[in-house]
Amino acid sequence: MMKRILTLLIALMFAGPAFAQGGPLRLTITDGVIEPITFAVPSFEAETPQAGQLASELTRLVAQNLSGTGLFREVPASAFISQVGSFAQPVAFADWRAVNAQALVIGAVSMTGDQVNVKFRLFDVFSGQELGGGLQFAGTTAGWRRMGHKVSDAVYSRITGEGGYFDSRVVFVAESGPKDNRLKRLAVMDYDGANVQFLTDSSSIVLAPRFSPRGDQVLYTSFESGFPRINLLDVADVARRQIATAPGEMSFSPRFSRDGRQVIYSLSNGATTDIYRTDLDTGQHVRLTATPSIDTAPSLSPDGSQIVFESDRSGSQQLYIMSSTGGDARRISFGEGRYSTPVWSPRGDLVAFTKQNAGRFHIGVMRTDGSEERLLTSSFLDEAPTWSPNGRVIMFTRETQGADGASALYSVDISGRNLRAVPIQSAASDASWGPLQP
Amino acid sequence: MTVPTDKMQTPGMYISAVGHLGLIGWLLLGWGMQSQPLPMQVMDVSVMSGEEFEQMMAARTPTPGDAPPTAPVQPQIEQTPPPPAVETPPEPAPVPLPVETPVSEAPPPPAPEMPPADVTDAAPAAPAPPEMPAPAPDLPPSDDPTQAPANRIASTPTAPPPPDAQISDIAREAVVPDETATAEVAVPEQQATAPEQTATEIVIADERPRGAVETSIRPIARPARPAPPAPEQETATAEPTPDPAPTPAPVPDTSDAVADALAAAVASSAAPAVQAGPPMTGSERDSFRIAVNSCWNVDPGSVAARVIVEVGFTLNRDGTLDGEPRLLSSDGDQSATSTAFEAARRAILRCQRGGYQLPADKYDQWREVVITFDPSGMRLR
């Protein structure tokens, strides 16, 4: 007995220190910093004489794209210690470390006729390694911006590990004229407000355009007939047609299903508005809600299994989630004020919404169970959020107060940082962010 | 002291008693004053049963018996002498035993009792003062258990009692096996150990290191032992005999289990202990943590902000990274993990700059580092 006790004591005596001293030094870090990642983009090399101008413009575009996310900060060229000679030349990492550039993008542009070839390489400066292999894109001079966006997306996604969103388009309602006689047209643009193209004329009012999952079609609500009706427009040739919805007085607030084959929308009959689904191929209609209330603004989850929508069945506008085949819905919004226009994030983890409370409007997000609600913006009137293809940025409409108030598109990071106005010549509203282009 | 039976029966015992008393007196009076250590043999002997001894030897000594434990009294003696010859070396035996052999080998001075290996390290003639502070010796951990005990006992020098055949029988059993084992094993090492005269003092030096650990256990059993070795006296006097006893002696008396636990504990703690002195202080750890903190860039909107990663890396003495950081574990899916790991890796690489500022004398404690990057406190709320 004594032996055992003694043995145990001795073992304990030595075991403690042995464990404490042996093995690696262990630390836990919980407080990092939140700051942009610094990057340097020396002007792309012009491999052919006539590519000089384009190389420089592409370089600027890439830098703007990255800086515009708020996640990156460019090291100005004036701080560079060394210049990058040729594309294949080894990189002097020490020089880039010295100017505290964490990432380095070098590129080269060649041009023959109107054919353009852009290639780039990305380096992690502090580890002295290349991130991914080199990539190159071929296109035409007319499409040079897309090539710049492609390069930016590749850089963004290699550094952040998430998909990019630069090479994407946004459909929106371009507005002109005074507030009491606003002219509205459908238009598409690059994510950054460039390349605006109009899809309809201003002869009738249009509302709430929605891109198809592939970005080749647009659903929108038109007042051409005097009543709101859902139309489908082909982006390529601007051909449009009205969709045969279930019978009702008004149909509006349409959205594509994830496969683009079906449309979910609201149909109003008398005092009630319910959510329906119509198959574009077969023309079949399915009623998904049946309550004596206004159920509208449906949005499908990325996997297509659920629908989030707004309803006033509790007495005020709140958010609900139900199966995509209908049935019982569960309420997810419980804060003060009214919630509307929910949109399911492409990542699937969040729902963005408009919230009206105490005389102000907010764009916010919450998890799909209603928890962790965060308001990202606050203004006289913010509404109609739409997600970037990677679920990282929300674009929305902000309207200024007063008789000469106008609406404009803004974007904000889901962290609530980096609020920016999308630079468009005209007033704009009701944006729908399309997918990343192929 | 508990040597059985016939006390005072034989003239040998008588002589022995007188001799002991004289020796003790002489020690008390003269020992402290002496500047020169006398060449004396120290013998540690303990009584134990043959079974115990066998068990012990089985566990420790790789080379079991050439000589059967009990019988060969004389052969042992003979065997012992041979060791001096160079022949023995071929046998690569376990380190611990070599202790005595050195003596026999070289010059007449039988003195060197303890661990030869250590001796080499310690300056030969150097001061043996028994000091408590124990700098870890270079001995391999395994040595300690075996040898340590011997040293303890050795401290009390005993004069070899007059030769008596009878007593020897009793003692033999225990002793014999040891010798054989010891002799064989020991030989190789001796040569290296060379320093002959140093022996006395060196012994003490050896004790030091172990002292820290073993002291508590030892004391009780050992002190009393000295007398037993009588049987071999003659031979013993001549040279090596004494040694064998020490090794086995301590163990049997105490509990094997305890010894084993101790040995294991010492062995396990010995390695790390050798690394460095005091543990890193809180502020040293904090400043390291803060250094990495300041470069850990978290993107709270990213899916990676929901992933906790554990990253390991190795540092050079100057605080710079030796090789690349490695991902050890993560609680997220692949893409989120790789993003989280990249952020952690960038933080570690970027903040090393000229090398992390860490206490150089504790290098062994921060050579390997594992950092857990936990962004849960930074998530969006």
Side-chain angles (χ1 to χ4, degrees):
Chain A
M1 194 55 191
M2 282 299 291
K3 279 187 188 177
R4 283 190 192 162
I5 294 177
L6 198 54
T7 308
L8 194 65
L9 280 180
I10 292 172
L12 284 178
M13 240 168 59
F14 286 93
F19 276 114
Q21 291 192 4
L25 173 63
R26 291 186 174 273
L27 301 174
T28 298
I29 294 189
T30 55
D31 301 316
V33 294
I34 300 176
E35 64 183 16
I37 294 174
T38 52
F39 71 96
V41 190
S43 193
F44 287 3
E45 175 194 2
E47 292 184 327
T48 56
Q50 66 272 38
Q53 173 71 19
L54 188 56
S56 148
E57 287 177 350
L58 273 167
T59 310
R60 284 300 85 215
L61 179 60
V62 170
Q64 283 169 16
N65 281 342
L66 294 175
S67 299
T69 63
L71 304 178
F72 300 91
R73 185 179 68 239
E74 185 185 8
V75 175
S78 58
F80 293 175
I81 294 177
S82 69
Q83 297 299 328
V84 172
S86 83
F87 184 72
Q89 189 176 311
V91 174
F93 290 111
D95 290 347
W96 299 104
R97 271 183 218 124
V99 298
N100 197 31
Q102 298 174 53
L104 172 68
V105 184
I106 62 175
V109 182
S110 62
M111 208 166 106
T112 46
D114 72 343
Q115 290 299 309
V116 181
N117 205 330
V118 182
K119 53 188 179 183
F120 81 97
R121 300 170 73 187
L122 172 64
F123 297 92
D124 181 342
V125 172
F126 281 86
S127 69
Q129 291 176 339
E130 184 167 1
L131 285 178
L135 267 186
Q136 72 176 11
F137 302 100
T140 62
T141 48
W144 72 272
R145 284 181 57 87
R146 278 203 63 191
M147 286 189 282
H149 290 324
K150 286 282 188 201
V151 171
S152 308
D153 278 328
V155 171
Y156 177 97
S157 110
R158 285 181 185 183
I159 294 179
T160 65
E162 300 174 358
Y165 57 85
F166 305 115
D167 186 26
S168 60
R169 307 206 79 193
V170 174
V171 60
F172 65 100
V173 176
E175 303 183 357
S176 56
K179 210 169 189 174
D180 54 359
N181 185 23
R182 204 55 54 91
L183 299 180
K184 301 192 174 191
R185 311 169 68 182
L186 283 191
V188 293
M189 62 176 183
D190 292 354
Y191 96 98
D192 58 1
N195 287 338
V196 173
Q197 294 174 320
F198 294 101
L199 300 178
T200 64
D201 57 26
S202 53
S203 59
S204 63
I205 292 181
V206 290
L207 288 178
R210 305 289 180 229
F211 256 128
S212 68
R214 290 193 300 165
D216 55 347
Q217 294 179 315
V218 172
L219 283 171
Y220 65 101
T221 306
S222 166
F223 283 76
E224 242 169 340
S225 64
F227 289 97
R229 284 289 168 192
I230 296 173
N231 283 16
L232 177 64
L233 180 143
D234 211 75
V235 176
D237 57 9
V238 201
R240 57 178 194 254
R241 64 182 168 95
Q242 186 172 316
I243 290 184
T245 62
E249 297 166 9
M250 299 185 288
S251 58
F252 53 97
S253 192
R255 258 181 218 282
F256 281 100
S257 62
R258 296 285 158 170
D259 62 2
R261 312 282 296 277
Q262 297 177 325
V263 178
I264 54 172
Y265 56 94
S266 300
L267 190 70
S268 179
N269 270 316
T272 68
T273 301
D274 285 309
I275 294 174
Y276 285 73
R277 183 179 67 226
T278 290
D279 190 303
L280 288 177
D281 296 334
T282 66
Q284 268 190 330
H285 315 299
V286 177
R287 182 175 177 174
L288 302 176
T289 65
T291 60
S293 58
I294 297 176
D295 300 334
T296 183
S299 172
L300 279 158
S301 63
D303 63 3
S305 66
Q306 292 177 292
I307 294 175
V308 61
F309 63 98
E310 70 174 69
S311 170
D312 63 356
R313 60 183 69 180
S314 69
S316 72
Q317 283 172 292
Q318 299 292 342
L319 306 185
Y320 295 79
I321 287 181
M322 67 177 175
S323 159
S324 59
T325 55
D328 290 341
R330 71 171 193 278
R331 178 172 165 179
I332 62 167
S333 63
F334 292 95
E336 293 180 3
R338 291 186 289 169
Y339 296 78
S340 57
T341 67
V343 193
W344 212 304
S345 150
R347 282 185 192 166
D349 57 344
L350 296 174
V351 171
F353 54 84
T354 301
K355 179 175 182 173
Q356 184 184 2
N357 186 33
R360 288 182 77 75
F361 282 78
H362 310 271
I363 300 297
V365 293
M366 63 171 65
R367 301 188 69 78
T368 55
D369 59 1
S371 65
E372 297 184 27
E373 175 181 325
R374 288 185 289 119
L375 300 182
L376 308 179
T377 72
S378 173
S379 85
F380 166 71
L381 179 54
D382 285 349
E383 61 180 357
T386 180
W387 289 97
S388 65
N390 65 353
R392 182 59 203 247
V393 180
I394 293 174
M395 194 178 285
F396 63 95
T397 305
R398 172 168 286 185
E399 194 166 320
T400 52
Q401 200 170 359
D404 57 350
S407 54
L409 296 181
Y410 280 74
S411 67
V412 64
D413 188 270
I414 58 166
S415 64
R417 297 182 173 81
N418 200 37
L419 176 68
R420 291 169 175 258
V422 180
I424 312 175
Q425 297 297 330
S426 64
S429 63
D430 259 352
S432 169
W433 207 322
L436 214 50
Q437 300 187 81
Chain B
M1 297 315 253
T2 46
V3 183
T5 64
D6 20 71
K7 298 177 181 174
M8 294 314 200
Q9 298 285 349
T10 63
M13 282 306 288
Y14 226 26
I15 297 171
S16 170
V18 173
H20 275 87
L21 286 177
L23 177 61
I24 292 171
W26 172 71
L27 279 178
L28 287 177
L29 295 178
W31 175 267
M33 312 301 288
Q34 280 188 353
S35 55
Q36 269 196 344
L38 297 177
M40 14 186 345
Q41 301 174 347
V42 182
M43 306 182 288
D44 295 324
V45 181
S46 63
V47 178
M48 58 179 186
S49 72
E51 298 169 358
E52 281 180 304
F53 180 76
E54 282 178 3
Q55 284 181 354
M56 202 187 71
M57 292 311 286
R60 274 188 204 148
T61 359
T63 31
D66 341 353
T70 13
V73 182
Q74 298 211 351
Q76 300 169 352
I77 307 176
E78 292 173 356
Q79 283 187 353
T80 348
V86 190
E87 314 158 8
T88 20
E91 299 181 11
V95 193
L97 297 177
V99 182
E100 275 110 6
T101 21
V103 186
S104 57
E105 217 196 8
E113 300 95 353
M114 300 341 235
D118 293 0
V119 179
T120 338
D121 290 351
E131 301 167 3
M132 293 321 292
D138 19 13
L139 298 182
S142 56
D143 289 2
D144 297 355
T146 341
Q147 292 202 346
N151 295 343
R152 289 265 144 222
I153 305 167
S155 55
T156 350
T158 327
D164 248 318
Q166 301 177 349
I167 302 178
S168 63
D169 290 340
I170 306 172
R172 285 174 197 163
E173 301 178 356
V175 181
V176 178
D178 302 345
E179 283 195 353
T180 22
T182 336
E184 303 174 21
V185 180
V187 184
E189 301 260 7
Q190 300 172 350
Q191 303 170 346
T193 338
E196 308 89 9
Q197 299 224 351
T198 19
T200 325
E201 317 205 331
I202 297 168
V203 178
I204 305 175
D206 287 347
E207 288 183 339
R208 294 298 110 70
R210 301 152 192 176
V213 183
E214 295 140 347
T215 334
S216 53
I217 299 181
R218 282 304 122 98
I220 314 167
R222 282 316 90 202
R225 268 308 107 188
E232 315 294 328
Q233 305 154 344
E234 302 171 355
T235 2
T237 335
E239 293 133 332
T241 345
D243 312 309
T247 342
V251 188
D253 296 11
T254 356
S255 56
D256 276 354
V258 173
D260 290 347
L262 183 62
V266 172
S268 67
S269 65
V274 178
Q275 297 176 350
M280 289 185 71
T281 65
S283 68
E284 284 164 350
R285 298 165 66 97
D286 281 349
S287 64
F288 184 26
R289 196 158 43 77
I290 289 167
V292 180
N293 249 1
S294 62
C295 285
W296 183 38
N297 195 353
V298 179
D299 172 7
S302 150
V303 287
R306 297 186 172 274
V307 177
I308 299 174
V309 291
E310 201 178 51
V311 180
F313 55 96
T314 308
L315 292 174
N316 296 311
R317 281 195 179 275
D318 62 359
T320 56
L321 239 71
D322 178 12
E324 279 281 305
R326 314 171 292 277
L327 175 66
L328 301 181
S329 72
S330 158
D331 66 349
D333 64 32
Q334 190 179 349
S335 83
T337 294
S338 102
T339 306
F341 172 60
E342 281 304 316
R345 197 176 67 101
R346 263 197 297 275
I348 295 165
L349 288 172
R350 207 171 127 225
C351 266
Q352 69 172 329
R353 302 200 166 89
Y356 288 104
Q357 301 298 309
L358 289 160
D361 56 330
K362 299 173 184 172
Y363 174 60
D364 286 329
Q365 294 177 41
W366 50 260
R367 194 169 75 84
E368 292 293 335
V369 184
V370 172
I371 298 186
T372 303
F373 291 87
D374 180 0
S376 46
M378 303 181 67
R379 285 176 194 156
L380 299 171
R381 292 265 151 68

